[in-house]
Amino acid sequence: MAQSTRKRLVLGGLEAALFDAPHTGRPAKFDGKDRAAITALACSEAPEGHARWSIRLLAEKAVELNVVDGIAPSTVLYMLKKTRSSRTAKDNGVSRG
């Protein structure tokens, strides 16, 4: 890491050494509001005839409610996995005092 920082300093100056260049790639398709809406939908009552939400049902309902234009069930799963806390983690945020 030190070697690459030194190289950036020599080639691009102090600013290039201290700050990363903008990253390339496609911007995120879904923002925080989309994620929050899908998470809230998952926490709501399941549709009639279903005991609980499935990932596929959540994806279909999000499109039906115009939360998003289109979304794959795997993306819904990824969004929900990022919002769940681990109940088995050592530090789960509960105060010990």
Side-chain angles (χ1 to χ4, degrees), residues 7-47:
K7 183 178 179 181
R8 287 190 311 205
L9 176 65
V10 170
L11 295 177
L14 186 59
E15 289 290 319
L18 294 178
F19 302 103
D20 286 337
H23 295 277
T24 61
R26 190 176 82 203
K29 185 173 181 182
F30 304 107
D31 62 9
K33 290 170 79 174
D34 297 331
R35 291 174 187 271
I38 290 173
T39 302
L41 184 60
C43 294
S44 70
E45 187 95 12

Side-chain angles (χ1 to χ4, degrees), residues 1-6 8:
M1 183 172 164
Q3 185 177 8
S4 64
T5 304
R6 182 178 20 206
R8 287 190 311 205

Side-chain angles (χ1 to χ4, degrees), residues 2-94:
Q3 185 177 8
S4 64
T5 304
R6 182 178 20 206
K7 183 178 179 181
R8 287 190 311 205
L9 176 65
V10 170
L11 295 177
L14 186 59
E15 289 290 319
L18 294 178
F19 302 103
D20 286 337
H23 295 277
T24 61
R26 190 176 82 203
K29 185 173 181 182
F30 304 107
D31 62 9
K33 290 170 79 174
D34 297 331
R35 291 174 187 271
I38 290 173
T39 302
L41 184 60
C43 294
S44 70
E45 187 95 12
E48 193 173 319
H50 297 276
R52 57 186 164 169
W53 284 103
S54 71
I55 299 300
R56 186 171 305 280
L57 275 173
L58 284 168
E60 291 170 359
K61 194 65 167 181
V63 172
E64 181 184 317
L65 295 174
N66 292 321
V67 173
V68 293
D69 292 333
I71 190 167
S74 59
T75 305
V76 172
L77 177 64
Y78 176 74
M79 285 180 181
L80 295 176
K81 283 183 121 183
K82 288 195 70 141
T83 61
R84 292 190 181 153
S85 62
S86 173
R87 298 188 189 282
T88 59
K90 267 188 170 181
D91 181 16
N92 60 6
V94 177

